Amino acid sequence: MADRAPPPTRADFRMVRRIPTRWMDNDHYGHVNNVTYYSYFDTAVNGWLMEATATDIRELPAIGIVAETSCRFLQELSFPDEIHAGLACEKLGTSSVIYRVGLFRGDDNGACAVGRFVHVYIDAVTRQVVAMPEAIRTAVAGLPGCA
Amino acid sequence: MADRAPPPTRADFRMVRRIPTRWMDNDHYGHVNNVTYYSYFDTAVNGWLMEATATDIRELPAIGIVAETSCRFLQELSFPDEIHAGLACEKLGTSSVIYRVGLFRGDDNGACAVGRFVHVYIDAVTRQVVAMPEAIRTAVAGLPGCA
Amino acid sequence: MADRAPPPTRADFRMVRRIPTRWMDNDHYGHVNNVTYYSYFDTAVNGWLMEATATDIRELPAIGIVAETSCRFLQELSFPDEIHAGLACEKLGTSSVIYRVGLFRGDDNGACAVGRFVHVYIDAVTRQVVAMPEAIRTAVAGLPGCA
Amino acid sequence: MADRAPPPTRADFRMVRRIPTRWMDNDHYGHVNNVTYYSYFDTAVNGWLMEATATDIRELPAIGIVAETSCRFLQELSFPDEIHAGLACEKLGTSSVIYRVGLFRGDDNGACAVGRFVHVYIDAVTRQVVAMPEAIRTAVAGLPGCA
């Protein structure tokens, strides 16, 4: 479980979004609850996809559903911290993408959390796995790691 | 702001649902965050409607959207408290319902929170206000206050 | 329930904070869930208090707990909308404050939601109602409605 | 990313808790949002620890903070599903525990989600890593995988 490697830095990601914490993100222990970090991932990936494709991705014939996620928590956050979120591409498949997500506390250069986020594309009606929309493939192909 | 009247009791409501708190419901101050009480209201009303009508209300031609809510917080809650939620009807209109919601901490007889929750029915496609579905009217008409 | 009065505008509030929506703020009906609006209120009030007092209000000897809230929902929101939050003062007491909160969708001039948010100050240790900290009184006294 | 192995079953876990979904757990796509599964993990682990130790673990001199989590999403959930949560132990260290968490939709025998949840114990005051409290070690040692 020990992870002695230095945390990833901003240079490892395309910085895509600022996400201010909310008062209720803090839990009983006075720091941002672990669950909430995943809402930052979710928002960073989908918000960036909407901007990068200039499309409401929720209306495309194929939608990305989440097959797997993970997060290593490297440093505590607390309201009113602002998070800077970055994305990179670990693997771009035909019907799936594996993103790496880096979260940074304000202007810090070292990540406070690092995650993986796997989207699989399914037909919005039949729910069968299908190839991802071309606009999404093009956007992801430009991220660090794929580019 | 002072409210010297004794809190409502279970007898004022149809008890409809038990809602266990979740770890992250507690905020920085070590009690359930005020925002979260409204998720209990939301769950009590919609969950009860689905049971009482034996229908997936989300698939009806008219859906209830929330026009107004309020809550008076009478007593703190904390994980792992279980909440017992009760409903009553303040007003049953043609296209709208005003619910009263009572939340009780475990077996307590006095409410820990009391709310109002206003549903207005709109056509799921046109988003225009319409009469509420008959199944919903029938269910609500049986609640204390309407019955 | 009908509310024919025009919605409040930005001029009625001190604009205090921008709050971007998150992907998971949207619910089954494809709009921001009613519960989540209260997290915008919570964040606007407490975040502004921390800025206006230049203090971590959570460490003061008296803390503000929420006694009552309400919200009228005037217009739907949806991710990735950004919310602009404004505050005004409805009543400044010795141990309590009643805020009015206005939420605006992006640069809209008419509010998409209007709320009331009541803070009562209690001693952080004894939990008894006490006078609010002077720094907080001074900040609130400068809001529209009190000033 | 393909995972052709059959999902874990109830027999692989100590079943510890029922967690009803909430209305707002569903997101824009009409299923429980991926983020929310982690609140089920969080609640299952901490709720079970409080029951198994008969202690308010938040008041112990050492508290468990989350160092790493992950989840594979095997099947969609939707309100009003009730989740049955199970725990097992992957590794019990001196200052850390790795849990496996299985989520089941109602009475289903195959898991709808499987996760890992890593708690590291720190001194509640100094925030330094310390040995976990004995009551917690004893409880965890009785879980499948450790026992």
Side-chain angles (χ1 to χ4, degrees):
Chain A
M1 232 143 39
D3 194 317
R4 300 290 160 66
T9 67
R10 286 167 184 265
D12 299 316
F13 300 93
R14 165 89 50 85
M15 298 307 295
V16 297
R17 203 173 192 85
R18 294 181 175 209
I19 304 173
T21 52
R22 297 177 183 169
W23 176 267
M24 74 182 290
D25 290 353
N26 273 28
D27 68 12
H28 195 98
Y29 289 150
H31 58 194
V32 172
N33 181 263
N34 68 89
V35 175
T36 306
Y37 287 67
Y38 287 96
S39 77
Y40 308 149
F41 291 0
D42 209 31
T43 297
V45 169
N46 288 303
W48 173 75
L49 282 172
M50 292 177 84
E51 285 176 8
T53 63
T55 301
D56 188 342
I57 58 172
R58 299 168 295 204
E59 305 301 326
L60 291 173
I63 58 174
I65 61 168
V66 179
E68 190 174 336
T69 54
S70 67
C71 182
R72 285 189 301 127
F73 303 90
L74 305 174
Q75 188 192 333
E76 292 182 319
L77 292 168
S78 183
F79 180 80
D81 286 338
E82 184 179 63
I83 292 138
H84 298 191
L87 293 180
C89 172
E90 183 176 316
K91 186 176 173 193
L92 174 56
T94 302
S95 58
S96 65
V97 187
I98 307 179
Y99 296 93
R100 294 189 75 224
V101 190
L103 302 182
F104 299 84
R105 182 178 173 278
D107 291 321
D108 285 358
N109 191 46
C112 63
V114 188
R116 267 170 111 249
F117 186 96
V118 182
H119 253 164
V120 173
Y121 281 84
I122 63 168
D123 184 282
V125 176
T126 67
R127 314 299 274 187
Q128 297 301 301
V129 174
V130 293
M132 78 187 68
E134 204 50 39
I136 286 175
R137 167 175 307 285
T138 302
V140 175
L143 286 178
C146 280
Chain B
M1 232 145 38
D3 195 318
R4 300 290 160 66
T9 67
R10 286 167 185 264
D12 299 315
F13 300 93
R14 165 90 48 85
M15 300 306 296
V16 297
R17 203 172 192 86
R18 295 181 175 208
I19 303 173
T21 52
R22 297 177 183 169
W23 175 266
M24 74 182 292
D25 289 353
N26 273 28
D27 69 12
H28 195 97
Y29 289 150
H31 57 193
V32 171
N33 182 263
N34 67 90
V35 176
T36 306
Y37 286 68
Y38 287 96
S39 77
Y40 307 149
F41 291 0
D42 209 32
T43 297
V45 169
N46 288 303
W48 172 74
L49 282 173
M50 292 176 83
E51 285 176 8
T53 64
T55 301
D56 187 343
I57 58 172
R58 300 167 296 204
E59 305 301 326
L60 291 172
I63 58 173
I65 61 168
V66 179
E68 189 174 336
T69 52
S70 67
C71 184
R72 285 189 302 128
F73 303 91
L74 305 173
Q75 188 191 333
E76 293 182 317
L77 293 168
S78 182
F79 180 80
D81 285 339
E82 184 179 62
I83 292 137
H84 298 191
L87 293 179
C89 171
E90 184 176 316
K91 185 175 172 193
L92 173 57
T94 302
S95 59
S96 65
V97 187
I98 307 179
Y99 296 94
R100 295 188 74 224
V101 190
L103 303 182
F104 299 84
R105 182 178 172 278
D107 291 321
D108 285 359
N109 191 46
C112 63
V114 188
R116 266 170 113 250
F117 186 97
V118 182
H119 253 163
V120 173
Y121 281 83
I122 63 168
D123 185 283
V125 177
T126 67
R127 313 300 273 188
Q128 297 301 302
V129 174
V130 293
M132 81 187 66
E134 204 49 40
I136 286 176
R137 168 175 307 282
T138 303
V140 174
L143 285 178
C146 280
Chain C
M1 230 145 40
D3 194 318
R4 300 289 160 66
T9 66
R10 286 167 185 265
D12 299 316
F13 300 93
R14 166 90 49 84
M15 300 305 296
V16 297
R17 202 172 192 86
R18 294 180 175 210
I19 304 173
T21 52
R22 298 177 182 169
W23 176 267
M24 74 182 292
D25 290 352
N26 274 27
D27 69 11
H28 194 97
Y29 289 150
H31 58 194
V32 171
N33 181 264
N34 67 90
V35 176
T36 306
Y37 287 67
Y38 287 96
S39 77
Y40 308 150
F41 292 180
D42 208 32
T43 297
V45 170
N46 287 304
W48 172 74
L49 282 173
M50 292 177 83
E51 285 175 8
T53 63
T55 301
D56 187 342
I57 57 172
R58 300 168 295 205
E59 305 300 327
L60 291 172
I63 57 173
I65 62 168
V66 179
E68 190 173 337
T69 54
S70 67
C71 184
R72 285 188 303 128
F73 303 90
L74 305 173
Q75 189 192 332
E76 292 182 320
L77 293 168
S78 183
F79 180 82
D81 286 338
E82 183 179 62
I83 292 137
H84 298 192
L87 293 180
C89 171
E90 183 176 316
K91 185 176 172 193
L92 174 56
T94 302
S95 58
S96 65
V97 187
I98 306 179
Y99 296 93
R100 294 189 75 225
V101 191
L103 302 182
F104 299 83
R105 182 178 173 278
D107 292 320
D108 285 358
N109 191 45
C112 63
V114 188
R116 266 171 112 250
F117 185 98
V118 182
H119 252 163
V120 173
Y121 282 83
I122 61 167
D123 183 282
V125 176
T126 67
R127 314 299 272 187
Q128 298 302 302
V129 174
V130 293
M132 79 187 66
E134 205 48 40
I136 286 177
R137 168 175 306 282
T138 302
V140 174
L143 286 178
C146 280
Chain D
M1 232 144 37
D3 195 317
R4 301 290 160 66
T9 66
R10 286 167 185 264
D12 299 315
F13 299 94
R14 165 90 50 85
M15 299 307 294
V16 297
R17 203 172 193 88
R18 295 181 174 208
I19 303 174
T21 52
R22 297 177 183 170
W23 176 266
M24 73 181 293
D25 290 352
N26 274 28
D27 69 12
H28 194 97
Y29 289 150
H31 58 194
V32 172
N33 181 264
N34 67 90
V35 175
T36 305
Y37 287 67
Y38 287 97
S39 77
Y40 307 149
F41 291 1
D42 208 31
T43 297
V45 169
N46 288 303
W48 173 74
L49 282 173
M50 292 177 83
E51 285 176 8
T53 63
T55 301
D56 187 342
I57 58 172
R58 299 167 295 204
E59 304 301 326
L60 290 173
I63 58 173
I65 61 169
V66 179
E68 191 173 335
T69 53
S70 68
C71 183
R72 285 189 302 128
F73 303 90
L74 305 173
Q75 188 192 334
E76 292 182 318
L77 293 168
S78 183
F79 180 80
D81 285 339
E82 184 178 64
I83 292 138
H84 298 190
L87 293 179
C89 171
E90 184 176 317
K91 185 176 172 193
L92 174 56
T94 302
S95 58
S96 65
V97 187
I98 307 179
Y99 296 93
R100 294 189 74 225
V101 190
L103 302 182
F104 299 83
R105 182 178 173 278
D107 291 322
D108 285 358
N109 192 46
C112 63
V114 188
R116 266 170 112 249
F117 185 97
V118 181
H119 252 165
V120 173
Y121 281 83
I122 62 167
D123 184 282
V125 177
T126 67
R127 314 299 273 187
Q128 298 301 302
V129 174
V130 292
M132 80 186 66
E134 204 50 38
I136 286 176
R137 168 175 306 283
T138 302
V140 174
L143 285 178
C146 280

